[in-house]
Amino acid sequence: MVDVQDLHKSFGDNHVLTGITGQIRERQVVCVIGPSGSGKSTFLRCLNRLEEATSGTVQVGDYDLTDPKVDINQVRRHIGMVFQQFNLFPHMTVAENIMLAPVELGNLSKAAARQRAEELLNRVGLADKAGARPASLSGGQKQRVAIARALAMSPKIMLFDEATSALDPEMVGEVLQVIRDLADEGMTMVLVTHEMGFAREVADRVLFMDGGTIVEAGTPSEIFDHPQQPRLQEFLSKVL
Ligand code: ADP
Ligand code: MG
C-alpha cells in the first residue's frame, strides 16, 4: 500500500528527514513513535504530499507522489488524515462537515452524502449530533467527527498525527476506541502517537524515529520489550 524509498526532506538548510525507507502493507496498522522534532509529522505529511519530498520516492497505492505529473487531488481522495487540531468548519453543522468533500468532489449526491454522514456518525457514537455545531461539542466528540469526515471519502488508508494529544485525558479513550474499531475492521493506518500502551495494543508494526530517520522498527513486543538501539532504550525510559 505504501512504499517509501530513501525519503529526504529539507526546510532550507534544516535536513529534517535524513533517509526513510519502508513499506506498509494493506490492513497493517503502523505506529510511529519518537521524540519531539524527530520528523514524525513531516514523514506523515509526505505520505499525502502536504510536504513534498526533497528526494527519494513515495508510492501510495498505484500512485507515485514524487512524480510531478501525478494528480494529487485524485491521490488524496484515497488518503484520510486526522490532525491533532480537529480543523472542523465552525460555520457548518457536524453533518455538513462530513458531507462537504464527497459532495464537492462529486463522489456522492447530497442525499447519499447525508446518509453516509449519518452512518459514519453512528459508527463513531455520535448519531445524535448531526445537526450540532462543532463549538457545542467536547474535544473528544470533535475528534470523532473529524475521523468520520476523513472516512466519508472511503479512503484506502488513514493517517493520524497525534490525534489524541490535544484532548483532556478523560476524552482520550473514546477516540482511541474509534481508532481501535477501524483497526479491527482492517483499515490500513499510520498513526503518530504518544500513547505507548495503545501502540503496543493495536500496532502490527512500530517505527521509532529519531533524527529524521527510522532508528528501529519491529513488532510492539520487539520495540517495547526488547529495544536494541540505545536511543530507543533511552526514549522508552523517559516515556514508559
Ligand atoms: P515531530 O512531529 O517528530 O515533532 P516535525 O516533523 O514536526 O517533528 O518537525 C521536525 C523538524 O522539522 C523540526 O525541526 C521542525 O522545526 C521542522 N519543520 C517542520 N515543518 C516545517 C515547516 N513547514 N517549515 C520549516 N521547518 C519545519
Ligand atoms: Mg509532530
Side-chain angles (χ1 to χ4, degrees), residues 35-42 45 84 161-162 192 194:
S36 180
S38 58
K40 303 181 297 297
S41 294
T42 304
R45 292 164 65 84
Q84 184 175 335
D161 193 359
E162 296 194 29
V192 174
H194 291 300

Side-chain angles (χ1 to χ4, degrees), residues 48-233:
N48 64 356
R49 222 172 76 184
L50 286 177
E51 300 294 354
E52 277 189 47
T54 304
S55 67
T57 58
V58 178
Q59 180 98 20
V60 178
D62 299 331
Y63 301 98
D64 177 1
L65 271 61
T66 38
D67 176 354
K69 292 193 295 290
V70 79
D71 179 354
I72 191 62
N73 292 319
Q74 184 60 31
V75 179
R76 287 193 186 132
R77 288 170 183 232
H78 304 296
I79 307 174
M81 186 149 180
V82 175
F83 303 87
Q84 184 175 335
Q85 300 301 337
F86 329 110
N87 302 328
L88 298 176
F89 294 107
H91 58 290
M92 294 181 185
T93 66
V94 162
E96 286 164 354
N97 266 277
I98 298 171
M99 293 163 62
L100 185 68
V103 171
E104 290 283 307
L105 296 170
N107 273 43
L108 294 177
S109 70
K110 218 165 172 185
R114 182 166 296 279
Q115 192 183 340
R116 173 117 181 100
E118 281 167 14
E119 283 164 18
L120 289 167
L121 283 171
N122 200 27
R123 191 154 150 198
V124 301
L126 294 172
D128 55 335
K129 296 294 183 189
R133 301 269 163 188
S136 71
L137 304 180
S138 71
Q141 290 172 332
K142 282 181 199 166
Q143 194 59 301
R144 285 187 280 152
V145 172
I147 293 171
R149 182 179 57 177
L151 291 170
M153 291 293 290
S154 305
K156 295 201 168 68
I157 181 167
M158 288 279 285
L159 311 176
F160 292 83
D161 193 359
E162 296 194 29
T164 60
S165 294
L167 300 177
D168 292 332
E170 73 270 23
M171 291 169 189
V172 169
E174 67 196 51
V175 173
L176 293 183
Q177 185 56 46
V178 169
I179 299 173
R180 201 179 276 123
D181 291 343
L182 286 173
D184 290 343
E185 290 162 22
M187 177 65 80
T188 308
M189 295 195 277
V190 186
L191 304 126
V192 174
T193 185
H194 291 300
E195 301 284 338
M196 298 300 148
F198 181 72
R200 178 195 278 272
E201 178 200 338
V202 302
D204 297 303
R205 213 168 156 69
V206 179
L207 311 179
F208 169 66
M209 281 186 67
D210 195 17
T213 192
I214 299 170
V215 170
E216 193 163 335
T219 64
S221 167
E222 285 166 347
I223 293 293
F224 294 114
D225 300 331
H226 308 285
Q228 302 295 309
Q229 299 293 329
R231 279 192 281 174
L232 173 56
Q233 292 167 355

